[in-house]
Amino acid sequence: MIWTGLGIVLCIAVMLVLHDHRRLQRYPYLMFLGGLILLLLPLMPGIGHASGGARIWIRVAGFSFQPAEIAKILLAIAFAAYFYEKREVLALAGRRFLGFELPAPATSDPSWSCGSPPSRSWCSRTTSAPRCCSSACSP
């Protein structure tokens, strides 16, 4: 019952303090660091303690909790902010295989990026092809 009440109070506090969630996008690296620290806290002597054979708990003010639960939320927000910030770069990157960088599928063959295998049967010289497939219709 204490944890439920604490969760409700924290939810209301976050809603009052954080009017716009996009402000969190400014700090992805700090959130990554905070998540890593929270995950390592149970391993520190004096802070973490074992319960039921697992050393995943820490004691704070007489209560024990798993900091990994907070780290999960923090890391989810951090990854979302990071992927949003780097979306253009990540969209252009190809895969690496045996040390070689392969081109991204969307740039290697335009007809495949339209969702169909490459074929010239659907291309007509009298009508314009879709923009992403225009190079497949070139003579």
mmCIF file of all heavy atoms in Angstrom, residues 2-23:
data_model
loop_
_atom_site.group_PDB
_atom_site.id
_atom_site.type_symbol
_atom_site.label_atom_id
_atom_site.label_comp_id
_atom_site.label_asym_id
_atom_site.label_seq_id
_atom_site.Cartn_x
_atom_site.Cartn_y
_atom_site.Cartn_z
ATOM 1 N N ILE A 2 2.009 1.184 0.683
ATOM 2 C CA ILE A 2 2.917 2.328 0.719
ATOM 3 C C ILE A 2 3.461 2.624 -0.676
ATOM 4 O O ILE A 2 3.525 3.777 -1.100
ATOM 5 C CB ILE A 2 4.060 2.072 1.718
ATOM 6 C CG1 ILE A 2 3.500 2.008 3.135
ATOM 7 C CG2 ILE A 2 5.130 3.150 1.605
ATOM 8 C CD1 ILE A 2 4.513 1.618 4.180
ATOM 9 N N TRP A 3 3.842 1.576 -1.408
ATOM 10 C CA TRP A 3 4.415 1.763 -2.739
ATOM 11 C C TRP A 3 3.383 2.281 -3.727
ATOM 12 O O TRP A 3 3.706 3.078 -4.616
ATOM 13 C CB TRP A 3 5.054 0.465 -3.242
ATOM 14 C CG TRP A 3 6.294 0.126 -2.490
ATOM 15 C CD1 TRP A 3 6.471 -0.915 -1.623
ATOM 16 C CD2 TRP A 3 7.531 0.836 -2.514
ATOM 17 N NE1 TRP A 3 7.737 -0.903 -1.108
ATOM 18 C CE2 TRP A 3 8.415 0.175 -1.640
ATOM 19 C CE3 TRP A 3 7.974 1.966 -3.176
ATOM 20 C CZ2 TRP A 3 9.714 0.603 -1.424
ATOM 21 C CZ3 TRP A 3 9.276 2.396 -2.952
ATOM 22 C CH2 TRP A 3 10.122 1.719 -2.090
ATOM 23 N N THR A 4 2.146 1.864 -3.582
ATOM 24 C CA THR A 4 1.093 2.377 -4.459
ATOM 25 C C THR A 4 0.882 3.867 -4.218
ATOM 26 O O THR A 4 0.782 4.659 -5.161
ATOM 27 C CB THR A 4 -0.227 1.613 -4.221
ATOM 28 O OG1 THR A 4 0.004 0.217 -4.422
ATOM 29 C CG2 THR A 4 -1.320 2.103 -5.151
ATOM 30 N N GLY A 5 0.810 4.250 -2.961
ATOM 31 C CA GLY A 5 0.675 5.672 -2.622
ATOM 32 C C GLY A 5 1.859 6.489 -3.105
ATOM 33 O O GLY A 5 1.693 7.589 -3.644
ATOM 34 N N LEU A 6 3.067 5.951 -2.934
ATOM 35 C CA LEU A 6 4.262 6.640 -3.397
ATOM 36 C C LEU A 6 4.251 6.782 -4.922
ATOM 37 O O LEU A 6 4.615 7.829 -5.463
ATOM 38 C CB LEU A 6 5.515 5.899 -2.936
ATOM 39 C CG LEU A 6 6.845 6.533 -3.313
ATOM 40 C CD1 LEU A 6 7.004 7.884 -2.640
ATOM 41 C CD2 LEU A 6 7.987 5.611 -2.930
ATOM 42 N N GLY A 7 3.797 5.750 -5.621
ATOM 43 C CA GLY A 7 3.711 5.811 -7.078
ATOM 44 C C GLY A 7 2.728 6.863 -7.552
ATOM 45 O O GLY A 7 2.998 7.587 -8.515
ATOM 46 N N ILE A 8 1.591 6.968 -6.884
ATOM 47 C CA ILE A 8 0.595 7.971 -7.254
ATOM 48 C C ILE A 8 1.127 9.381 -6.993
ATOM 49 O O ILE A 8 0.980 10.278 -7.824
ATOM 50 C CB ILE A 8 -0.727 7.723 -6.500
ATOM 51 C CG1 ILE A 8 -1.373 6.427 -7.006
ATOM 52 C CG2 ILE A 8 -1.673 8.907 -6.651
ATOM 53 C CD1 ILE A 8 -2.553 5.969 -6.187
ATOM 54 N N VAL A 9 1.785 9.562 -5.856
ATOM 55 C CA VAL A 9 2.358 10.875 -5.532
ATOM 56 C C VAL A 9 3.440 11.250 -6.547
ATOM 57 O O VAL A 9 3.476 12.394 -7.028
ATOM 58 C CB VAL A 9 2.923 10.875 -4.095
ATOM 59 C CG1 VAL A 9 3.771 12.105 -3.837
ATOM 60 C CG2 VAL A 9 1.791 10.787 -3.089
ATOM 61 N N LEU A 10 4.304 10.306 -6.907
ATOM 62 C CA LEU A 10 5.346 10.591 -7.897
ATOM 63 C C LEU A 10 4.756 10.872 -9.278
ATOM 64 O O LEU A 10 5.261 11.730 -10.003
ATOM 65 C CB LEU A 10 6.344 9.437 -7.966
ATOM 66 C CG LEU A 10 7.333 9.336 -6.821
ATOM 67 C CD1 LEU A 10 8.182 8.088 -6.951
ATOM 68 C CD2 LEU A 10 8.204 10.572 -6.763
ATOM 69 N N CYS A 11 3.712 10.173 -9.651
ATOM 70 C CA CYS A 11 3.050 10.417 -10.934
ATOM 71 C C CYS A 11 2.495 11.831 -10.991
ATOM 72 O O CYS A 11 2.684 12.548 -11.979
ATOM 73 C CB CYS A 11 1.952 9.387 -11.155
ATOM 74 S SG CYS A 11 1.059 9.604 -12.704
ATOM 75 N N ILE A 12 1.842 12.261 -9.946
ATOM 76 C CA ILE A 12 1.284 13.612 -9.894
ATOM 77 C C ILE A 12 2.409 14.643 -9.897
ATOM 78 O O ILE A 12 2.321 15.673 -10.589
ATOM 79 C CB ILE A 12 0.364 13.770 -8.669
ATOM 80 C CG1 ILE A 12 -0.889 12.903 -8.855
ATOM 81 C CG2 ILE A 12 -0.020 15.231 -8.446
ATOM 82 C CD1 ILE A 12 -1.759 12.792 -7.623
ATOM 83 N N ALA A 13 3.487 14.377 -9.162
ATOM 84 C CA ALA A 13 4.620 15.305 -9.123
ATOM 85 C C ALA A 13 5.258 15.454 -10.504
ATOM 86 O O ALA A 13 5.585 16.572 -10.926
ATOM 87 C CB ALA A 13 5.660 14.834 -8.105
ATOM 88 N N VAL A 14 5.421 14.363 -11.226
ATOM 89 C CA VAL A 14 6.009 14.435 -12.567
ATOM 90 C C VAL A 14 5.096 15.215 -13.501
ATOM 91 O O VAL A 14 5.559 16.026 -14.312
ATOM 92 C CB VAL A 14 6.298 13.013 -13.116
ATOM 93 C CG1 VAL A 14 6.613 13.040 -14.599
ATOM 94 C CG2 VAL A 14 7.448 12.380 -12.356
ATOM 95 N N MET A 15 3.787 15.004 -13.405
ATOM 96 C CA MET A 15 2.853 15.735 -14.262
ATOM 97 C C MET A 15 2.872 17.232 -13.964
ATOM 98 O O MET A 15 2.733 18.052 -14.867
ATOM 99 C CB MET A 15 1.435 15.188 -14.108
ATOM 100 C CG MET A 15 1.274 13.826 -14.730
ATOM 101 S SD MET A 15 -0.395 13.118 -14.776
ATOM 102 C CE MET A 15 -1.273 13.838 -13.443
ATOM 103 N N LEU A 16 3.053 17.607 -12.696
ATOM 104 C CA LEU A 16 3.093 19.023 -12.346
ATOM 105 C C LEU A 16 4.418 19.681 -12.736
ATOM 106 O O LEU A 16 4.437 20.825 -13.181
ATOM 107 C CB LEU A 16 2.845 19.193 -10.843
ATOM 108 C CG LEU A 16 1.443 18.855 -10.356
ATOM 109 C CD1 LEU A 16 1.372 18.938 -8.838
ATOM 110 C CD2 LEU A 16 0.419 19.781 -10.988
ATOM 111 N N VAL A 17 5.518 18.967 -12.568
ATOM 112 C CA VAL A 17 6.840 19.534 -12.847
ATOM 113 C C VAL A 17 7.161 19.497 -14.336
ATOM 114 O O VAL A 17 7.677 20.459 -14.893
ATOM 115 C CB VAL A 17 7.928 18.779 -12.049
ATOM 116 C CG1 VAL A 17 9.321 19.208 -12.470
ATOM 117 C CG2 VAL A 17 7.730 18.998 -10.566
ATOM 118 N N LEU A 18 6.838 18.413 -14.993
ATOM 119 C CA LEU A 18 7.204 18.220 -16.396
ATOM 120 C C LEU A 18 5.987 18.489 -17.283
ATOM 121 O O LEU A 18 5.214 17.602 -17.587
ATOM 122 C CB LEU A 18 7.709 16.791 -16.601
ATOM 123 C CG LEU A 18 8.310 16.479 -17.948
ATOM 124 C CD1 LEU A 18 9.604 17.245 -18.140
ATOM 125 C CD2 LEU A 18 8.565 14.995 -18.049
ATOM 126 N N HIS A 19 5.843 19.733 -17.697
ATOM 127 C CA HIS A 19 4.685 20.108 -18.515
ATOM 128 C C HIS A 19 4.809 19.579 -19.941
ATOM 129 O O HIS A 19 3.815 19.246 -20.565
ATOM 130 C CB HIS A 19 4.522 21.626 -18.540
ATOM 131 C CG HIS A 19 4.247 22.209 -17.195
ATOM 132 N ND1 HIS A 19 3.052 22.035 -16.544
ATOM 133 C CD2 HIS A 19 5.026 22.945 -16.368
ATOM 134 C CE1 HIS A 19 3.094 22.649 -15.381
ATOM 135 N NE2 HIS A 19 4.283 23.215 -15.244
ATOM 136 N N ASP A 20 6.036 19.528 -20.474
ATOM 137 C CA ASP A 20 6.261 19.085 -21.844
ATOM 138 C C ASP A 20 7.313 17.975 -21.827
ATOM 139 O O ASP A 20 8.463 18.201 -21.444
ATOM 140 C CB ASP A 20 6.731 20.255 -22.705
ATOM 141 C CG ASP A 20 6.819 19.911 -24.167
ATOM 142 O OD1 ASP A 20 6.275 18.866 -24.567
ATOM 143 O OD2 ASP A 20 7.431 20.692 -24.919
ATOM 144 N N HIS A 21 6.922 16.788 -22.251
ATOM 145 C CA HIS A 21 7.832 15.645 -22.201
ATOM 146 C C HIS A 21 9.013 15.797 -23.155
ATOM 147 O O HIS A 21 10.031 15.137 -22.999
ATOM 148 C CB HIS A 21 7.079 14.354 -22.528
ATOM 149 C CG HIS A 21 6.579 14.308 -23.942
ATOM 150 N ND1 HIS A 21 7.358 13.871 -24.972
ATOM 151 C CD2 HIS A 21 5.397 14.656 -24.471
ATOM 152 C CE1 HIS A 21 6.683 13.941 -26.106
ATOM 153 N NE2 HIS A 21 5.478 14.424 -25.825
ATOM 154 N N ARG A 22 8.927 16.668 -24.135
ATOM 155 C CA ARG A 22 10.016 16.851 -25.089
ATOM 156 C C ARG A 22 11.248 17.477 -24.456
ATOM 157 O O ARG A 22 12.333 17.427 -25.027
ATOM 158 C CB ARG A 22 9.543 17.665 -26.279
ATOM 159 C CG ARG A 22 8.567 16.871 -27.153
ATOM 160 C CD ARG A 22 8.003 17.718 -28.214
ATOM 161 N NE ARG A 22 7.064 18.652 -27.567
ATOM 162 C CZ ARG A 22 6.096 19.280 -28.192
ATOM 163 N NH1 ARG A 22 5.938 19.125 -29.474
ATOM 164 N NH2 ARG A 22 5.285 20.080 -27.550
ATOM 165 N N ARG A 23 11.107 18.055 -23.276
ATOM 166 C CA ARG A 23 12.273 18.591 -22.567
ATOM 167 C C ARG A 23 13.248 17.481 -22.202
ATOM 168 O O ARG A 23 14.439 17.727 -22.064
ATOM 169 C CB ARG A 23 11.839 19.325 -21.298
ATOM 170 C CG ARG A 23 11.175 20.627 -21.610
ATOM 171 C CD ARG A 23 10.731 21.408 -20.411
ATOM 172 N NE ARG A 23 11.363 21.081 -19.154
ATOM 173 C CZ ARG A 23 10.844 21.362 -17.970
ATOM 174 N NH1 ARG A 23 9.686 21.968 -17.893
ATOM 175 N NH2 ARG A 23 11.470 21.049 -16.865
#
